[in-house]
Amino acid sequence: MPEITVRRATAADSARLTRLVRRSAAYRGPYAVMVDGYRVGGAYIEHHPVYAAVDADDRVLGFYALLLDEAELDLAFVADSAQGLGIGRLLMAHMTAEARAAGLDAVRVVAHPPAEAFYLRTGARRTGTVAAAGRVHWDRPELSYDLTAAAA
């Protein structure tokens, strides 16, 4: 596997992160409505902790966005071509370390249903279900990373 680093995203990464979201195979078919027209804007990136996993050529292979005020993982994507390389696991380890450093005790995740198993494998636990509403026509698993247990 090539050397991967995690760095803070900048507004200049907006187009690359947006492309990664919109091209995600996980959001094809009935899930396409979730990313149709979605944009990871520069102001959003500058306002929230957004981190990108990049290779030696600064190619974005994945990213996550953490909402500190809500203690919630807002976005987490790995490029289809980089699936299975451990990048998602690397990003979740980074996210939990950043959240812990920010003083959070837990991080909530409202997951894309096909991603639930990934979050469980990386230490989250199921806490409930978020009912379908608005543009989302399916229930979503609600999970949490318990940062106090992970630190112990």
Side-chain angles (χ1 to χ4, degrees):
M1 180 168 94
E3 184 176 334
I4 306 298
T5 59
V6 178
R7 66 163 174 79
R8 182 78 186 244
T10 68
D13 293 313
S14 174
R16 295 193 292 167
L17 301 185
T18 296
R19 273 193 304 276
L20 198 154
V21 169
R22 289 186 185 174
R23 292 179 180 169
S24 175
Y27 285 89
R28 293 191 182 129
Y31 296 121
V33 67
M34 288 295 297
V35 297
D36 183 40
Y38 194 86
R39 182 174 179 273
V40 184
Y44 176 91
I45 293 168
E46 295 296 329
H47 182 71
H48 300 289
V50 178
Y51 286 88
V54 298
D55 65 12
D57 296 323
D58 200 44
R59 187 174 42 159
V60 175
L61 303 175
F63 77 98
Y64 75 86
L66 179 63
L67 305 180
L68 292 175
D69 292 342
E70 294 86 355
E72 185 168 347
L73 179 67
D74 191 36
L75 300 168
F77 283 85
V78 173
D80 293 343
S81 63
Q83 298 280 325
L85 300 177
I87 293 166
R89 186 172 292 281
L90 174 69
L91 287 170
M92 291 305 97
H94 189 275
M95 182 276 298
T96 56
E98 288 293 313
R100 194 176 294 111
L104 300 180
D105 292 330
V107 174
R108 177 180 186 241
V109 179
V110 177
H112 180 48
E116 179 180 13
F118 163 77
Y119 290 115
L120 292 170
R121 283 192 311 272
T122 59
R125 65 180 174 77
R126 180 82 183 254
T127 57
T129 301
V130 175
R135 289 175 40 159
V136 180
H137 304 289
W138 53 89
D139 293 345
R140 292 172 291 158
E142 181 179 35
L143 304 104
S144 180
Y145 286 95
D146 180 351
L147 303 178
T148 58

